[in-house]
Structure formats: C-alpha cells, structure tokens
Amino acid sequence: MIKSRGTSFFRACCCALSCTLFAALLSADPVSADTMDNDETLLAAMEEGGDEASAAAGASPAPAAVDEYTGWSYAPVSKYDETRSCVRLTLNGRRGAFGLYAVSPNGKRIPLLSRYDGFSRSYFTLRVGRKEYKLKYAGGVKSEARSTASGGQLAYTIPKKAYFVADFSFPETNTTEVSDDVLRVTLYTVNLGTTPQVFSVKGIFDTVLGETSGKHFFTGDKEDIKTQLQFPDMSTDKWVCSSNDKAAIEFLLQGGDITRPQYVTLSTMDSLEASWVPSALESKSFSSSRSYNDSGVAVNWAPLYLQPQEMGTITFYISIAEGVVPIYAGRKPANQEFLDAMASGGYSYSTVSAPPAQEQAPEQEVQDAADHAAEATAGTAAGTAAAAEEVRHELSPAAQAVTEEQLDPEYIQNLIDYIESIQSGEDIDEEELRSLNEELDAIFEKLRSMGN
C-alpha cells in the first residue's frame, strides 16, 4: 500500500507539472524567426564549443610524418578545426567527416552543409571495381584526420584495396585581386591491390542554403534552378552555387587545374545516394516521398585506371562568401575572376609541404598543357593533327590496336575480374594469363595517352 500511494503521488505531481507547462506555452508569444535564428546560433555555438575543445585536445603535438604516396608532411590529430578569412573547416578523424562554415567579421558561424549527424551526409564515395565504399565512419573504412602546413586532410584506408586522401588546402595566392575565401580540394586515390583496377570517385554534398532562399542553385550560365538537373559537361556553367541572404558556397568544377567532372547532378539527397550516376528529372522539384526541399549536389569524375601502387589525382575548388545581401550585391564567392586569374597566371597554388612534382597535377591537366603547347607551336589545325599523330606513333603497336569497345569501363572491369578469377584458380593457364595482362596493359597505355 505504501508503494502504491507513493507512485500515485508521483504521477499526480507529474500531471500537475505538465498542465502548468502546457498553460505557460499557450499563453506565450508565437515563436519568431529571430528567435529561431538565435536558437540555431546557440545550438551551433554549443556544438562548435564541444568540437573546439575536442580539437584542442586532439591537436596536441605529434611527431610529423610524411605520406609515402602523396608526399605531404602532416601531423595526425583526432579533430582539425581552423578558420582563415571567412572560411571555417572542421575535420573529424574518427567519423571521417568534414564540415564547412562561413564566418562573419564578428565571429558568427553559418553552416554551409547539413550538420545532420556531424556533417555525415556530405562525403566522398570510392568505387573499387564494382564495389562502392562510403568514405565515412559507417562504412567499415579506417579514417584519420591530419593537420598540414596548408590546411587539413582526411585519410581513408580500405585494406588491400585502396588508400584515399582528401586534402583541403587554403591556397596561398600571388595576387590581391582574387578572393582568398577559397579551399582547394585534392583527392588522391592509390591502388593497394596486386592487380590493375578501375577506381571511380563521387562527391556528395548536402547543401542547405538554397533550400531557404526560394531558388536552390545557380550556375555561371543559369540564374535560377528550382528543379532537378544533370550536367554531362560544365564548360558553360563552370560552377554550382547554393546561397541565401547570409552566405554562399560554390563548387568550382571547370577551368584552370580543375579536373573535369563526368557528371554533375542536382537532385534530392535520396536520388544522389540511390545509384552511382544519380538520376535527375528536370521537371521535378527537390522534394521526395521522404523529405521536403532536400536538395544536394553530386559530382562524378571519370574512372581512374591504376596499376598496383599507382596514384590518381582529382582537383576542384570550393569558394565561400558570408553576408551575401542580396546575392552579388556585396561580397560574393570567387568564381569567374578566380578562374580568369588561373588562366592568365595571376593565381598560382603554392604550399610549404607540396606533394611530389610528378603527382601534383592530375594527368588530365598534364594532357591539357601538352595540347595547349602543341596548339601554340603549330598555330594551325594541321599542326595540332601532326602533334596528335606523333603521340599516336609513340604508343606501342598493342596500344594502337586497342578498339573503342576495349576502352569501355565495363569491358575493362570484366577483363580485370576474369584475370583475377584465373589467378585464384588451381590450374593456371600461364599463356592465357600473360595474353590477358598484355591486353590490359595496352588498354591502360591507350587511356593514359588520351588523358584519362
């Protein structure tokens, strides 16, 4: 009986307290937008305060190391957190996640990507052969955060398959005419396997600013994108921007030393994650059956064909602005001026700790430079054709004989799978294995000559 009365008394108190709180809520003023903004700022400050404390604890001096593949000097940290100009970059080594903020002169921080579950909805995916690995904590992939002289890195290891480094560097420009609110993102992929392999990289970015501005995105060619869209080529649009009246984030995807993407897709987050090359229905909004106005950007780059221990490189830039009221009326993200500066030599990327010279530029950039030099020397289409013919004759006879069918990624992957199946069998036909490997080497040689 005593226990029963105590329980009844406790329930009565809870009921009375609930009624009192409910009455207070009914009599309170409606929540204003300013109040919501203040709450958001407070929540961000609480989260960031914890992150900064963890970053400070994880940033204790550690022996400097040198990455044997990329050549970068770095110090391992549990969390990386740095602000330069109006850009704040955070990296979480345990989660393998990266976060981006725009920072106002008074220190207010505006998230540029969704902060859901520690920014885990924005990430890179690496496709090794036919298997996809999400490079974040939920994929069974080992990750590590690093501090470098130029910024921070996230390094991921898929044992016996691949090593991947996402380097976020604050460029040191040689001109004051270009905004310094820019991050240079370089993605390194290394084949840790014992056979040649096809690697593909996709970046998924859960943007949030455009979802509150009335228009989700705009590009260098399109001022108002309110429905899903896919770009197989960015030569006209050049960048994708998500913005509101407080900040902007821009992905620079064409020009300078930027690696040309294969596809850029603006769609719902559900669609971006559903397939390797996402679908985009141009007449459809950014709402799905699971969420409302949930837009994002996916960038697919062309496959990398790597020999064992070989490294492939992808480069793009992220430009950030704070206090964009209205868009382009005041401070704006670096875009065309930045790209023009790269083209004219008014911008050059430099760092205290740079990767080896032979790995610093992607193969496509090297090919572009060779094409440009050939055009400048020849001065005519005939001269360019002659230069191309010279490159063709430098190929081995086997590479010159490679057909379009053999260059298809699906054909290459089937060939690699077949070679691996022969090697894993008990009765190995050495002659067939040698012939297949020679064919694969010829295909890779032809692809490199094409700048892939």
Side-chain angles (χ1 to χ4, degrees):
M1 292 295 293
I2 294 176
K3 181 182 291 187
S4 177
R5 288 177 180 174
T7 302
S8 299
F9 177 75
F10 177 75
R11 290 176 177 170
C13 289
C14 289
C15 182
L17 180 60
S18 299
C19 291
T20 302
L21 290 173
F22 183 67
L25 287 171
L26 288 176
S27 62
D29 294 331
V31 177
S32 65
D34 290 339
T35 302
M36 293 177 68
D37 286 343
N38 291 336
D39 290 344
E40 178 72 8
T41 302
L42 179 59
L43 177 60
M46 292 172 64
E47 291 179 353
E48 292 156 4
D51 287 345
E52 288 170 351
S54 298
S60 56
V66 177
D67 190 303
E68 64 176 306
Y69 295 106
T70 68
W72 279 96
S73 295
Y74 67 91
V77 294
S78 61
K79 288 188 179 181
Y80 171 91
D81 192 327
E82 185 170 1
T83 300
R84 297 192 191 182
S85 188
C86 84
V87 183
R88 182 190 178 198
L89 169 68
T90 65
L91 305 176
N92 188 316
R94 182 181 65 83
R95 301 175 68 87
F98 56 90
L100 287 171
Y101 298 82
V103 182
S104 67
N106 63 7
K108 183 177 179 180
R109 295 149 181 171
I110 304 166
L112 303 173
L113 301 171
S114 170
R115 290 182 301 167
Y116 175 78
D117 198 14
F119 287 102
S120 65
R121 294 194 72 191
S122 297
Y123 57 93
F124 296 103
T125 297
L126 180 64
R127 195 177 193 182
V128 183
R130 304 179 192 279
K131 185 172 177 57
E132 297 177 19
Y133 296 88
K134 293 182 179 180
L135 301 180
K136 55 180 182 177
Y137 72 99
V141 178
K142 180 183 178 182
S143 60
E144 175 188 54
R146 302 168 169 179
S147 175
T148 71
S150 298
Q153 298 180 342
L154 287 170
Y156 308 85
T157 302
I158 305 169
K160 300 181 180 180
K161 292 185 179 295
Y163 175 65
F164 186 94
V165 176
D167 174 78
F168 300 85
S169 289
F170 295 90
E172 300 172 7
T173 62
N174 59 358
T175 176
T176 57
E177 299 176 359
V178 176
S179 169
D180 57 356
D181 302 330
V182 172
L183 275 174
R184 185 180 198 261
V185 185
T186 309
L187 310 176
Y188 302 93
T189 304
V190 180
N191 181 3
L192 295 184
T194 57
T195 59
Q197 187 57 272
V198 181
F199 297 83
S200 301
V201 179
K202 177 170 73 171
I204 293 179
F205 308 97
D206 188 0
T207 53
V208 293
L209 301 178
E211 295 171 0
T212 63
S213 68
K215 61 178 182 180
H216 285 256
F217 302 103
F218 64 89
T219 69
D221 185 61
K222 299 173 179 59
E223 295 184 358
D224 191 352
I225 300 175
K226 295 182 178 180
T227 58
Q228 300 176 30
L229 197 58
Q230 186 172 77
F231 303 88
D233 178 67
M234 290 296 292
S235 58
T236 300
D237 293 271
K238 296 184 180 179
W239 63 78
V240 172
C241 185
S242 170
S243 69
N244 59 18
D245 62 351
K246 296 178 181 179
I249 179 171
E250 204 163 63
F251 302 92
L252 302 179
L253 300 170
Q254 182 82 22
D257 64 349
I258 297 170
T259 305
R260 295 188 187 99
Q262 189 176 42
Y263 295 99
V264 177
T265 309
L266 313 180
S267 189
T268 65
M269 285 299 297
D270 288 346
S271 295
L272 299 183
E273 296 182 303
S275 57
W276 180 249
V277 177
S279 62
L281 302 176
E282 295 191 11
S283 61
K284 191 174 180 181
S285 72
F286 291 102
S287 297
S288 66
S289 58
R290 296 174 54 187
S291 57
Y292 174 74
N293 264 5
D294 189 16
S295 57
V297 181
V299 184
N300 289 78
W301 286 276
L304 302 167
Y305 305 91
L306 303 177
Q307 297 283 354
Q309 301 301 302
E310 188 179 7
M311 181 172 72
T313 310
I314 292 169
T315 300
F316 68 101
Y317 291 81
I318 296 177
S319 176
I320 292 167
E322 177 275 330
V324 188
V325 189
I327 187 67
Y328 284 2
R331 192 172 184 174
K332 66 177 183 178
N335 44 53
Q336 191 58 55
E337 294 87 351
F338 183 80
L339 298 176
D340 290 343
M342 281 199 284
S344 65
Y347 159 84
S348 63
Y349 171 69
S350 60
T351 175
V352 177
S353 178
Q358 68 270 22
E359 304 292 359
Q360 191 166 355
E363 291 180 3
Q364 185 169 358
E365 180 189 350
V366 175
Q367 181 67 30
D368 290 344
D371 291 344
H372 180 73
E375 290 172 5
T377 302
T380 63
T384 303
E389 184 69 14
E390 181 180 350
V391 171
R392 189 181 72 83
H393 284 305
E394 289 178 357
L395 295 175
S396 67
Q400 293 185 40
V402 170
T403 66
E404 287 295 324
E405 179 187 1
Q406 289 173 291
L407 296 177
D408 182 77
E410 187 69 18
Y411 179 92
I412 297 171
Q413 189 57 56
N414 287 334
L415 179 59
I416 292 172
D417 291 344
Y418 185 50
I419 291 174
E420 290 180 346
S421 69
I422 292 177
Q423 290 177 326
S424 61
E426 294 181 0
D427 298 324
I428 299 178
D429 186 333
E430 296 291 349
E431 183 62 26
E432 181 183 19
L433 185 60
R434 182 189 61 78
S435 176
L436 293 171
N437 277 312
E438 287 178 353
E439 179 186 359
L440 187 61
D441 290 341
I443 291 172
F444 276 30
E445 182 184 350
K446 181 68 173 286
L447 286 167
R448 290 192 185 90
S449 73
M450 298 168 60
N452 290 328

